[in-house]
Amino acid sequence: ETPILEVEDLARYFDVSRPWLQRVLAGEGKRTLRAVDGISFAIPRGTTLSLVGESGCGKSTVARLVVGLYPPSKGRVVFEGMDLERARAIAEQRRRMQMIFQDPYASLNPRWRVKDIVAEPIRAFGMTPSAAAQQEKVAELLTQVGLSPLDGEKFPHEFSGGQRQRISIARALSSNPDFLVCDEPTSALDVSVQAQILNLMKDLQARLGLTYLFISHNLAVVRQVSDRIGVMYLGRLVELAPAETLFTTPRHPYTRALMEAIPDLEMTGRQRIPVGGEVPSPISPPSGCPFHPRCPLANDRCKAERPGLVAARATEQSLTACHAVEEGRDGGLPAAQRIG
Ligand code: SF4
């Protein structure tokens, strides 16, 4: 079966030649920010791929490229076997792809009643023949996301953060999409509310056969919802693996460093990698492997040659962009650096 979404060698560059941007971003005369720099993945129907990484790694830019909010500088996005640009020109295809944003406060029009917010895509895509049918559909959607049909008469400010995110989800579902791009959908919420929204999203996926591209800076959050996880660093994918494989046997030193930040995760000393330092500016990324200034396993090859994303072992489904993994020298750290 063809994947619902395929991304091939996708890149998005931004022009940062204006003087004030140079000052803000410490660009040192460089003119281009490579926010996303040549990434490829596919998402099979009914599954969830999550992209994780620190802020500035390019994950939100990927989300925007995938729904067509930005055109790519290079590469392409293929939705249902069709080039995204062509797909976006057809309302029927556009309706099938929706986005949920991080901030339910900002993404809901405060002057509109909830029923009108939820019905907006239904009207935009001309989907219901009558006002009565529309009302019925809105009531059904509100029930599906755990709200009451009576909530349709209220305004967004009358709801909590978690309830507002439920309203955003109802709105995203109102055009009967197959594919949802969720950009940090729970990171503005309290931890207990986060879990409820993630459970709701999983239920809806099972019930409606949805496919998700899920964007988050939080590995612990994506663990609950993902079939596969891609780890991004400075605009590139450094590891792409089935979710459980990523947690039981993380391979890339950056993935192992991110795992360090999850308190309860059971890891062996062999897998631990402590990493210090800041993420370098994406305007002037380091030579070779962009992670080398922070990586305890870096050697001369790492400084000179950029590793490609390749299968870590012939039998594994994980892909890793790391010379140490490829050379089989990723097992341990020098004794002085080993912890745990
Ligand atoms: Fe570290 Fe080298 Fe692997 Fe990059 S390629 S992550 S620097 S070991």
Side-chain angles (χ1 to χ4, degrees), residues 180-196:
L180 289 182
V181 176
C182 315
D183 189 7
E184 303 266 12
T186 65
S187 48
L189 307 173
D190 293 342
V191 176
S192 60
V193 182
Q194 277 190 10
Q196 292 167 16

PDB file of all heavy atoms in Angstrom, residues 180-196:
ATOM      1  N   LEU A 180      -3.648  14.268   9.875  1.00  0.00           N
ATOM      2  CA  LEU A 180      -3.546  15.454  10.724  1.00  0.00           C
ATOM      3  C   LEU A 180      -2.089  15.733  11.066  1.00  0.00           C
ATOM      4  O   LEU A 180      -1.360  14.824  11.482  1.00  0.00           O
ATOM      5  CB  LEU A 180      -4.299  15.246  12.044  1.00  0.00           C
ATOM      6  CG  LEU A 180      -5.829  15.219  12.021  1.00  0.00           C
ATOM      7  CD1 LEU A 180      -6.352  15.061  13.443  1.00  0.00           C
ATOM      8  CD2 LEU A 180      -6.398  16.488  11.402  1.00  0.00           C
ATOM      9  N   VAL A 181      -1.698  16.981  10.897  1.00  0.00           N
ATOM     10  CA  VAL A 181      -0.380  17.419  11.341  1.00  0.00           C
ATOM     11  C   VAL A 181      -0.582  18.125  12.669  1.00  0.00           C
ATOM     12  O   VAL A 181      -1.351  19.086  12.753  1.00  0.00           O
ATOM     13  CB  VAL A 181       0.259  18.362  10.311  1.00  0.00           C
ATOM     14  CG1 VAL A 181       1.590  18.882  10.829  1.00  0.00           C
ATOM     15  CG2 VAL A 181       0.454  17.631   8.990  1.00  0.00           C
ATOM     16  N   CYS A 182       0.061  17.620  13.721  1.00  0.00           N
ATOM     17  CA  CYS A 182      -0.164  18.144  15.071  1.00  0.00           C
ATOM     18  C   CYS A 182       1.138  18.760  15.563  1.00  0.00           C
ATOM     19  O   CYS A 182       2.100  18.054  15.838  1.00  0.00           O
ATOM     20  CB  CYS A 182      -0.574  17.012  16.010  1.00  0.00           C
ATOM     21  SG  CYS A 182      -1.810  15.917  15.292  1.00  0.00           S
ATOM     22  N   ASP A 183       1.172  20.103  15.624  1.00  0.00           N
ATOM     23  CA  ASP A 183       2.403  20.795  15.999  1.00  0.00           C
ATOM     24  C   ASP A 183       2.374  21.120  17.496  1.00  0.00           C
ATOM     25  O   ASP A 183       1.700  22.052  17.902  1.00  0.00           O
ATOM     26  CB  ASP A 183       2.545  22.070  15.160  1.00  0.00           C
ATOM     27  CG  ASP A 183       3.906  22.717  15.339  1.00  0.00           C
ATOM     28  OD1 ASP A 183       4.781  22.115  15.999  1.00  0.00           O
ATOM     29  OD2 ASP A 183       4.104  23.837  14.827  1.00  0.00           O
ATOM     30  N   GLU A 184       3.085  20.338  18.293  1.00  0.00           N
ATOM     31  CA  GLU A 184       3.135  20.533  19.751  1.00  0.00           C
ATOM     32  C   GLU A 184       1.733  20.678  20.349  1.00  0.00           C
ATOM     33  O   GLU A 184       1.474  21.639  21.101  1.00  0.00           O
ATOM     34  CB  GLU A 184       3.958  21.783  20.105  1.00  0.00           C
ATOM     35  CG  GLU A 184       5.379  21.780  19.579  1.00  0.00           C
ATOM     36  CD  GLU A 184       6.395  21.250  20.576  1.00  0.00           C
ATOM     37  OE1 GLU A 184       5.987  20.657  21.614  1.00  0.00           O
ATOM     38  OE2 GLU A 184       7.594  21.403  20.308  1.00  0.00           O
ATOM     39  N   PRO A 185       0.803  19.768  20.049  1.00  0.00           N
ATOM     40  CA  PRO A 185      -0.594  20.001  20.445  1.00  0.00           C
ATOM     41  C   PRO A 185      -0.822  20.018  21.952  1.00  0.00           C
ATOM     42  O   PRO A 185      -1.854  20.512  22.399  1.00  0.00           O
ATOM     43  CB  PRO A 185      -1.343  18.825  19.808  1.00  0.00           C
ATOM     44  CG  PRO A 185      -0.317  17.767  19.645  1.00  0.00           C
ATOM     45  CD  PRO A 185       0.971  18.482  19.363  1.00  0.00           C
ATOM     46  N   THR A 186       0.124  19.506  22.740  1.00  0.00           N
ATOM     47  CA  THR A 186      -0.131  19.473  24.184  1.00  0.00           C
ATOM     48  C   THR A 186       0.869  20.301  24.984  1.00  0.00           C
ATOM     49  O   THR A 186       0.782  20.334  26.206  1.00  0.00           O
ATOM     50  CB  THR A 186      -0.090  18.019  24.721  1.00  0.00           C
ATOM     51  OG1 THR A 186       1.238  17.510  24.559  1.00  0.00           O
ATOM     52  CG2 THR A 186      -1.077  17.133  24.000  1.00  0.00           C
ATOM     53  N   SER A 187       1.806  20.983  24.318  1.00  0.00           N
ATOM     54  CA  SER A 187       2.869  21.579  25.139  1.00  0.00           C
ATOM     55  C   SER A 187       2.444  22.845  25.869  1.00  0.00           C
ATOM     56  O   SER A 187       3.143  23.294  26.764  1.00  0.00           O
ATOM     57  CB  SER A 187       4.143  21.805  24.323  1.00  0.00           C
ATOM     58  OG  SER A 187       3.845  22.426  23.140  1.00  0.00           O
ATOM     59  N   ALA A 188       1.266  23.414  25.533  1.00  0.00           N
ATOM     60  CA  ALA A 188       0.793  24.568  26.306  1.00  0.00           C
ATOM     61  C   ALA A 188      -0.048  24.118  27.509  1.00  0.00           C
ATOM     62  O   ALA A 188      -0.563  24.948  28.245  1.00  0.00           O
ATOM     63  CB  ALA A 188      -0.016  25.491  25.405  1.00  0.00           C
ATOM     64  N   LEU A 189      -0.190  22.804  27.699  1.00  0.00           N
ATOM     65  CA  LEU A 189      -1.130  22.300  28.714  1.00  0.00           C
ATOM     66  C   LEU A 189      -0.421  21.686  29.924  1.00  0.00           C
ATOM     67  O   LEU A 189       0.730  21.261  29.826  1.00  0.00           O
ATOM     68  CB  LEU A 189      -2.020  21.225  28.072  1.00  0.00           C
ATOM     69  CG  LEU A 189      -2.739  21.629  26.770  1.00  0.00           C
ATOM     70  CD1 LEU A 189      -3.435  20.423  26.163  1.00  0.00           C
ATOM     71  CD2 LEU A 189      -3.726  22.751  27.029  1.00  0.00           C
ATOM     72  N   ASP A 190      -1.139  21.616  31.058  1.00  0.00           N
ATOM     73  CA  ASP A 190      -0.602  20.942  32.250  1.00  0.00           C
ATOM     74  C   ASP A 190      -0.386  19.463  31.950  1.00  0.00           C
ATOM     75  O   ASP A 190      -1.092  18.884  31.124  1.00  0.00           O
ATOM     76  CB  ASP A 190      -1.616  21.006  33.398  1.00  0.00           C
ATOM     77  CG  ASP A 190      -1.800  22.420  33.890  1.00  0.00           C
ATOM     78  OD1 ASP A 190      -0.918  23.250  33.597  1.00  0.00           O
ATOM     79  OD2 ASP A 190      -2.818  22.688  34.541  1.00  0.00           O
ATOM     80  N   VAL A 191       0.542  18.852  32.696  1.00  0.00           N
ATOM     81  CA  VAL A 191       0.898  17.453  32.414  1.00  0.00           C
ATOM     82  C   VAL A 191      -0.311  16.513  32.457  1.00  0.00           C
ATOM     83  O   VAL A 191      -0.488  15.671  31.578  1.00  0.00           O
ATOM     84  CB  VAL A 191       1.990  16.975  33.403  1.00  0.00           C
ATOM     85  CG1 VAL A 191       2.295  15.493  33.189  1.00  0.00           C
ATOM     86  CG2 VAL A 191       3.259  17.791  33.189  1.00  0.00           C
ATOM     87  N   SER A 192      -1.205  16.685  33.456  1.00  0.00           N
ATOM     88  CA  SER A 192      -2.343  15.762  33.564  1.00  0.00           C
ATOM     89  C   SER A 192      -3.309  15.951  32.389  1.00  0.00           C
ATOM     90  O   SER A 192      -3.891  14.990  31.882  1.00  0.00           O
ATOM     91  CB  SER A 192      -3.076  15.996  34.883  1.00  0.00           C
ATOM     92  OG  SER A 192      -3.550  17.324  34.921  1.00  0.00           O
ATOM     93  N   VAL A 193      -3.458  17.192  31.948  1.00  0.00           N
ATOM     94  CA  VAL A 193      -4.342  17.475  30.813  1.00  0.00           C
ATOM     95  C   VAL A 193      -3.707  16.952  29.513  1.00  0.00           C
ATOM     96  O   VAL A 193      -4.387  16.424  28.636  1.00  0.00           O
ATOM     97  CB  VAL A 193      -4.618  18.989  30.713  1.00  0.00           C
ATOM     98  CG1 VAL A 193      -5.578  19.289  29.578  1.00  0.00           C
ATOM     99  CG2 VAL A 193      -5.189  19.503  32.026  1.00  0.00           C
ATOM    100  N   GLN A 194      -2.369  17.075  29.419  1.00  0.00           N
ATOM    101  CA  GLN A 194      -1.644  16.539  28.258  1.00  0.00           C
ATOM    102  C   GLN A 194      -2.015  15.088  28.017  1.00  0.00           C
ATOM    103  O   GLN A 194      -2.321  14.688  26.895  1.00  0.00           O
ATOM    104  CB  GLN A 194      -0.132  16.567  28.526  1.00  0.00           C
ATOM    105  CG  GLN A 194       0.527  17.874  28.266  1.00  0.00           C
ATOM    106  CD  GLN A 194       2.055  17.761  28.306  1.00  0.00           C
ATOM    107  OE1 GLN A 194       2.623  16.683  28.351  1.00  0.00           O
ATOM    108  NE2 GLN A 194       2.702  18.894  28.290  1.00  0.00           N
ATOM    109  N   ALA A 195      -1.992  14.288  29.112  1.00  0.00           N
ATOM    110  CA  ALA A 195      -2.261  12.851  28.983  1.00  0.00           C
ATOM    111  C   ALA A 195      -3.672  12.619  28.445  1.00  0.00           C
ATOM    112  O   ALA A 195      -3.888  11.750  27.593  1.00  0.00           O
ATOM    113  CB  ALA A 195      -2.067  12.166  30.327  1.00  0.00           C
ATOM    114  N   GLN A 196      -4.644  13.428  28.917  1.00  0.00           N
ATOM    115  CA  GLN A 196      -6.024  13.265  28.430  1.00  0.00           C
ATOM    116  C   GLN A 196      -6.131  13.556  26.935  1.00  0.00           C
ATOM    117  O   GLN A 196      -6.809  12.851  26.191  1.00  0.00           O
ATOM    118  CB  GLN A 196      -6.964  14.222  29.171  1.00  0.00           C
ATOM    119  CG  GLN A 196      -7.156  13.878  30.636  1.00  0.00           C
ATOM    120  CD  GLN A 196      -7.829  15.020  31.385  1.00  0.00           C
ATOM    121  OE1 GLN A 196      -8.400  15.924  30.778  1.00  0.00           O
ATOM    122  NE2 GLN A 196      -7.757  14.993  32.709  1.00  0.00           N
TER     123      GLN A 196
END
